[in-house]
Amino acid sequence: MTPVQIQSVENPLTRAAIFIVVTVKPDAASLETVRGLFGNMGSLLRGVGFRNPDDSLTCVTGIGSDLWDRLGQPQRPAGLHPFRAIHGVHDAPSTPGDILFHIRAQGRDFCFELATQIMRQLGDAVEVQDETQGFKFFDNRDLLGFVDGTENPQGIALGASVLIGDEDPAFRGGSYVITQKYIHDLTKWDALTVEDQERVIGRHKLSDIEYPDSEKAPYAHNVLTSINDAEGNQLQILRDNMPFGRPAAAEFGTYFIGYACEPARTERMLDNMFIGDPPGNYDRILDVSTPVTGSLFFVPSMTLLEALADPPEPAPAGTADDTADDHAQADDTAAPADGSLRIGSLKQET
Ligand code: HEM
């Protein structure tokens, strides 16, 4: 089997990020332009990033359900579907998105330059649905003032939580990502006492120490987003949320971005937050935070992303599965004991 190179899904948080979501125009030439970019992403990343490797420039490219269909691949990732809107105590909209670019670096200049190069190559083949420039706010706090990202999986749990494995062998080394852009009503939030805010999150604000389970409110964010499988094992996702905003326009937000080996676990957390668990016991973050976007993407391995540059060969009848295997077989994507995912035949794009 051919070794597979994964995208930089599990890289640590950086000081800056740009999130761009585009849709691809319906004509064939636009699709060709997009294929060209997929084939060139590795080269673009090297060209911009090598100028200072210490800036840790990375870009994760995700593909939406409709675009996947247009790419004409013989197989489809098992969990890929359009983001499902939720109508609960609060609503989560589903908004268009064919491609997500999640660009991260220590410096805004590196994010900005890569985004510029990507958009220049795409030209008028796409329509921009959203561009959000995120920044690190003090000690990894969101604009509600709480440290965000503390309970992300680490070590061996990280790869197991975010990377597709043997359950979908043609797409091993890939991932799924859900994004939502939230706008906060900080006037309403700041009117709460710190103790009430802490009950909403389930952690102490200044120290970031978690409340003991016995003292957590049933609606606490970390109660509703802690989920288990039938055997009682915790199902985790990797969050790379970033604050964004324009103070002069009174815009303050959190860009939620959650990676997982299957979208179902993130969707269950969303149901718990918006509908409630049990229904009605919803997440009070949503009383002051409104999602204005919602999209779901499949993140192919870097190897598969580059292979998507070429339209699939028309396969003789009965051999479709073999063709997919040529594109995407990984020999081993299980996380190594140190959780680094950088040893053996797995290679990570940087
Ligand atoms: C306005 C949007 C959001 C904000 C401001 C926010 C903020 C936070 C904060 C401050 C924490 C506690 C520290 C930490 O462990 O990271 C947290 C935890 C967490 N959040 Fe969110 N979050 C948001 C949306 C979401 C969404 C949409 C999901 C999932 C669909 C989610 C899933 C989680 C999970 C899984 C945890 C860890 C829970 C635990 O195991 O303790 N969050 N979030």
Side-chain angles (χ1 to χ4, degrees), residues 142 144 146-152 180 182 184 201 203 208 210 216 221-222 225-226 234 236-237 239 241 254 256 266-267 269-270 273-274 285-286 289:
D142 53 41
L144 302 179
F146 282 78
V147 177
D148 194 350
T150 313
E151 298 295 342
N152 266 331
Q180 286 181 303
Y182 285 87
H184 301 305
I201 302 294
R203 304 184 78 93
D208 189 34
E210 188 175 1
K216 283 179 189 162
H221 183 59
N222 58 0
T225 56
S226 291
Q234 192 180 5
Q236 291 185 289
I237 65 172
R239 294 162 290 123
N241 298 358
T254 295
F256 167 80
T266 316
E267 290 169 332
M269 293 175 188
L270 286 169
M273 289 175 65
F274 284 81
I285 283 186
L286 302 175
S289 312

Side-chain angles (χ1 to χ4, degrees), residues 301-318:
S301 67
M302 194 67 185
T303 310
L304 176 55
L305 183 72
E306 291 184 334
L308 293 174
D310 302 314
E313 300 279 329

Side-chain angles (χ1 to χ4, degrees), residues 99-321:
I99 312 177
L100 165 74
F101 298 104
H102 177 199
I103 302 171
R104 280 180 282 180
Q106 295 305 339
R108 286 188 64 190
D109 48 356
F110 276 81
C111 294
F112 190 89
E113 174 65 6
L114 184 65
T116 304
Q117 295 292 341
I118 288 171
M119 295 314 294
R120 188 171 291 162
Q121 183 156 350
L122 287 173
D124 61 6
V126 297
E127 281 172 10
V128 177
Q129 298 297 327
D130 183 59
E131 174 186 357
T132 300
Q133 307 221 2
F135 57 90
K136 183 170 165 169
F137 187 58
F138 298 110
D139 34 353
N140 290 322
R141 289 179 191 266
D142 53 41
L143 296 185
L144 302 179
F146 282 78
V147 177
D148 194 350
T150 313
E151 298 295 342
N152 266 331
Q154 293 180 345
I156 196 164
L158 177 53
S161 301
V162 299
L163 295 180
I164 298 167
D166 289 340
E167 71 281 6
D168 197 2
F171 299 103
R172 250 188 254 161
S175 186
Y176 295 93
V177 60
I178 286 179
T179 60
Q180 286 181 303
K181 181 173 177 169
Y182 285 87
I183 305 291
H184 301 305
D185 182 342
L186 286 193
T187 308
K188 206 169 168 186
W189 178 248
D190 290 341
L192 298 178
T193 63
V194 169
E195 289 72 24
D196 281 345
Q197 293 179 353
E198 291 182 339
R199 272 187 280 278
V200 171
I201 302 294
R203 304 184 78 93
H204 289 282
K205 191 170 186 179
L206 180 64
S207 66
D208 189 34
I209 300 298
E210 188 175 1
Y211 272 30
D213 285 349
S214 58
E215 291 176 26
K216 283 179 189 162
Y219 54 77
H221 183 59
N222 58 0
V223 171
L224 291 170
T225 56
S226 291
I227 58 169
N228 297 320
D229 65 14
E231 283 79 47
N233 306 306
Q234 192 180 5
L235 297 173
Q236 291 185 289
I237 65 172
L238 174 66
R239 294 162 290 123
D240 287 315
N241 298 358
M242 289 295 254
F244 66 89
R246 293 179 300 152
E251 180 191 85
F252 303 96
T254 295
Y255 199 94
F256 167 80
I257 176 162
Y259 289 96
C261 57
E262 47 166 9
R265 59 182 67 183
T266 316
E267 290 169 332
R268 215 171 111 195
M269 293 175 188
L270 286 169
D271 284 347
N272 288 354
M273 289 175 65
F274 284 81
I275 298 167
D277 180 30
N281 180 46
Y282 70 98
D283 192 327
R284 271 52 173 181
I285 283 186
L286 302 175
D287 289 342
V288 297
S289 312
T290 306
V292 293
T293 70
S295 302
L296 187 158
F297 305 89
F298 164 63
V299 177
S301 67
M302 194 67 185
T303 310
L304 176 55
L305 183 72
E306 291 184 334
L308 293 174
D310 302 314
E313 300 279 329
T319 60
D321 285 352

Side-chain angles (χ1 to χ4, degrees), residues 1-3 172 329-332:
M1 277 187 275
T2 317
R172 250 188 254 161
Q329 284 282 354
D331 58 348
D332 179 16

Side-chain angles (χ1 to χ4, degrees), residues 35 68-69 71-76 304 307-308 310-312 327:
R35 286 191 190 281
W68 184 266
D69 290 340
L71 288 168
Q73 291 296 298
Q75 284 180 291
R76 123 186 278 289
L304 176 55
L308 293 174
D310 302 314
H327 282 298

